[in-house]
Amino acid sequence: MTESADKLTPITVITGFLGAGKTTFVNYILKEQRDWKICVLENEFGEVSIDDGLVAESLDAPEDLITMDNGCACCSVRGDLVRTLGQLIQRRKEFDAILLETTGLADPAPIVYTIQTNSKMSENYFIDSIVALADAKHLPLHLDEKKPDGSANEALQQVAFADKILLNKIDLVTPEQKTALKDRLALINKFATVIETERSRAPLDKILGLNSFNMESILNYEPDFFEIQEDAKHNLDLVSSVGITFQGQLHAQWFNMFMMDLLRERAADIYRSKGLLTFHGQGNTKFVFQGVHEQINFGPAKEPWKDGEERINKFVFIGKNLNREELTKGLMECLYKEEEK
């Protein structure tokens, strides 16, 4: 079923290394599956288009679309992404979703920022999810790769930013290797859903149209998400995820100051952040936020705190060199105290 006139068109951003199976995944969407009408945009950050053989034959300009037999379409973004999406506005309702393929891009923050802050974009589109496609056999090697300057490598960043991780080629690894890899992925990014696939045949209903990027997705986390898990084997990974929970009402001004200071000093290191908050003086209003680097969306949740519901503040940070104790201490110093009246 295609989008109705009053709805925005969801954009799913796909990241992943060359060889992870993105070409096969795109071809599966365009040629085989029949349940979704998807417009695939190839963002050519590299010199060679991933799907060269399929899309390069007759595409002369970004506005040219190749329409497939199953109603899907494919287009190359050779210039400005905003221009291409702008040209698609008139036709966007023909599609259930737009899939933006980003070869070799580690940090999707510029794309997210553009969609959310450009009024023409935000009136027509929204970010549905960020999906990392990973090769189960070679991902451990990519994660172990050491950068000369000591920074996090692209594989770590792609896993860190993802809402969903498509763990592809699982038929090429042993059950023990798969379990070890999934355990490691959970340490890097505990809130991403891992979906196992072979030959890039992914269940699209578990990836598209779920709005897993939105602020309120933190409300769906299981309680054990926030339990501290330590693993000596991989505690040297530069990138990790930290979940923090505590009771009490936050002082709005102190919390705002804490977040401003944190993002001013560490924005480049904090890839993703999310929170569920209760503030002093705000009655039953439940607040949520989510951020990519320094870009934070903040506001009231759709549903307020229910009568008798335990009001627990929840925070998620994913990034480089995160110190759980420092973050916890800083956040708890934002709690409202009676003597502050």
Side-chain angles (χ1 to χ4, degrees), residues 3 7 41 72 80 89 158 191 234 262 269 295 325:
E3 286 278 305
K7 288 189 176 178
L41 301 184
C72 291
D80 183 57
I89 287 174
Q158 288 171 357
F191 83 73
H234 291 304
L262 178 67
D269 291 343
Q295 302 299 329
E325 288 182 10

Side-chain angles (χ1 to χ4, degrees), residues 7-194:
K7 288 189 176 178
L8 305 180
T9 300
I11 294 178
T12 293
V13 180
I14 300 278
T15 67
F17 273 80
L18 286 165
K22 279 188 297 174
T23 304
T24 311
F25 181 54
V26 168
N27 282 341
Y28 163 68
I29 288 173
L30 293 175
K31 293 180 170 181
E32 294 183 36
Q33 65 85 30
R34 293 285 183 271
D35 298 325
W36 293 76
K37 285 187 170 61
I38 297 170
C39 181
V40 178
L41 301 184
E42 290 193 317
N43 214 6
E44 298 183 10
F45 291 97
E47 290 181 358
V48 182
S49 167
I50 288 275
D51 219 347
D52 216 343
L54 179 62
V55 300
E57 335 170 45
S58 59
L59 276 179
D60 299 316
E63 59 265 45
D64 288 343
L65 283 178
I66 291 182
T67 303
M68 313 305 289
D69 293 340
N70 60 359
C72 291
C74 193
C75 169
S76 283
V77 182
R78 296 203 175 104
D80 183 57
L81 176 62
V82 171
R83 177 170 169 259
T84 302
L85 288 172
Q87 290 163 341
L88 274 175
I89 287 174
Q90 297 303 316
R91 294 190 58 182
R92 69 179 181 84
K93 294 183 181 67
E94 298 172 22
F95 305 109
D96 298 312
I98 289 174
L99 193 144
L100 179 59
E101 182 276 317
T102 59
T103 304
L105 179 71
D107 186 344
I111 293 172
V112 172
Y113 179 72
T114 298
I115 303 300
Q116 292 183 338
T117 60
N118 181 301
S119 59
K120 189 176 181 184
M121 297 296 99
S122 60
E123 287 166 8
N124 291 280
Y125 305 103
F126 71 95
I127 299 291
D128 185 30
S129 66
I130 297 173
V131 178
L133 185 58
D135 174 348
K137 187 172 179 63
H138 296 109
L139 181 59
L141 296 174
H142 291 308
L143 293 174
D144 289 334
E145 182 188 341
K146 296 286 186 281
K147 289 281 186 176
D149 60 357
S151 63
N153 64 51
E154 286 86 354
L156 278 168
Q157 292 185 65
Q158 288 171 357
V159 169
F161 273 109
D163 301 301
K164 315 255 181 213
I165 300 169
L166 295 186
L167 198 54
N168 196 28
K169 305 185 183 181
I170 56 165
D171 50 320
L172 303 182
V173 297
T174 66
E176 294 75 22
Q177 288 171 323
K178 183 180 76 175
T179 299
L181 179 55
K182 289 177 76 172
D183 287 346
R184 185 172 182 185
L185 292 176
L187 286 169
I188 298 167
N189 183 347
K190 198 177 173 186
F191 83 73
T193 304
V194 177

Side-chain angles (χ1 to χ4, degrees), residues 256-275:
N256 287 337
M257 289 172 62
F258 169 79
M259 289 299 292
M260 284 172 58
D261 289 344
L262 178 67
L263 293 172
R264 186 175 63 243
E265 296 166 11
R266 301 287 310 277
D269 291 343
I270 296 176
Y271 300 148
R272 300 285 301 267
S273 57
K274 294 198 176 199

Side-chain angles (χ1 to χ4, degrees), residues 239-260:
V239 180
S240 61
S241 53
V242 171
I244 298 167
T245 64
F246 55 84
Q247 288 180 297
Q249 295 183 326
L250 292 164
H251 188 297
Q253 185 181 355
W254 299 146
F255 175 73
N256 287 337
M257 289 172 62
F258 169 79
M259 289 299 292
M260 284 172 58

